[in-house]
Amino acid sequence: FVPLSELSVGDTVLTRPSVPPNGSPPRMDEYDDRETGFIVGCVLMDRELINGPLSRRRKYIENNIGKRESITRVPGWIYSMSNEEYIKGIIDGIFTTSSFVQGKTLFVRLESSLMAGDVRNLLMMLGIHPKSEENSSLLGISGESLRVLVENVGLTNPKVSKQVIQALMSRQE
């Protein structure tokens, strides 16, 4: 055990495994890749995407994330995934769908403070340490954590990616 105050950017953090009520994570087969993680991340942020561009994976998403209109938590089975690329895809999907840059910080506003805590855990599993206020649905990533996000996860959204690179470059000046 290491106290939170002793963690540094880039440290990997393990979280408690969790499984859905039926007792086992979904069967992933060909869906345990970055692309599917990206789709899951996008749907976590914008449920309407399942009716449009992501409809080809509708059954997978409904079976593993749920059919509800509003998603307030990251499904517990995601934490038991051993495929880091899948987790990176989820993070990329979340930030591609609903993030913005202000100054030298990348922000994402999530559905709830519970989901913000879940996404914080996923980020920390990748060595990225976001900041937020207690009970806030807004997460911010800046400094060394922002560099780690760009280098290790990447951002698919070209507009956000460009703004983040500019923020990182202005930090060096």
Side-chain angles (χ1 to χ4, degrees):
F1 175 77
V2 175
L4 186 60
S5 61
E6 293 179 21
L7 290 175
S8 300
V9 172
D11 289 347
T12 301
V13 177
L14 299 177
T15 59
R16 183 182 336 173
S18 177
V19 292
N22 68 6
S24 62
R27 232 179 112 219
M28 300 305 282
D29 296 338
E30 72 272 15
Y31 297 123
D32 66 348
D33 58 5
R34 186 182 174 103
E35 178 186 353
T36 303
F38 179 80
I39 291 168
V40 169
C42 290
V43 171
L44 285 171
M45 297 308 294
D46 186 352
R47 186 75 177 127
E48 285 303 308
L49 290 172
I50 199 171
N51 297 321
L54 304 181
S55 60
R56 67 186 176 97
R57 298 261 172 97
R58 178 185 210 114
K59 185 173 181 172
Y60 169 85
I61 292 166
E62 287 181 347
N63 287 341
N64 297 305
I65 297 177
K67 296 179 181 180
R68 60 191 185 278
E69 293 304 311
S70 178
I71 301 169
T72 58
R73 298 292 306 256
V74 171
W77 57 263
I78 288 176
Y79 295 103
S80 64
M81 294 294 298
S82 60
N83 186 335
E84 190 173 288
E85 289 302 308
Y86 188 85
I87 302 293
K88 287 178 180 180
I90 291 171
I91 296 300
D92 185 18
I94 288 170
F95 280 90
T96 289
T97 308
S98 295
S99 66
F100 61 95
V101 176
Q102 187 173 1
K104 298 177 184 180
T105 304
L106 175 64
F107 291 98
V108 63
R109 183 167 303 282
L110 296 130
E111 184 72 25
S112 69
S113 61
L114 294 172
M115 183 177 281
D118 294 344
V119 172
R120 167 186 277 117
N121 288 339
L122 291 175
L123 288 162
M124 290 179 73
M125 289 169 66
L126 298 173
I128 300 164
H129 299 264
K131 295 181 177 154
S132 70
E133 299 294 320
E134 191 172 337
N135 295 320
S136 173
S137 62
L138 185 67
L139 290 179
I141 301 175
S142 60
E144 186 64 17
S145 281
L146 188 56
R147 185 193 60 75
V148 171
L149 176 74
V150 170
E151 290 178 1
N152 295 343
V153 176
L155 295 167
T156 301
N157 183 325
K159 178 182 174 188
V160 172
S161 184
K162 181 179 177 182
Q163 291 174 336
V164 166
I165 291 170
Q166 289 173 340
L168 285 170
M169 291 175 66
S170 70
R171 188 176 137 237
Q172 293 174 354
E173 294 172 359

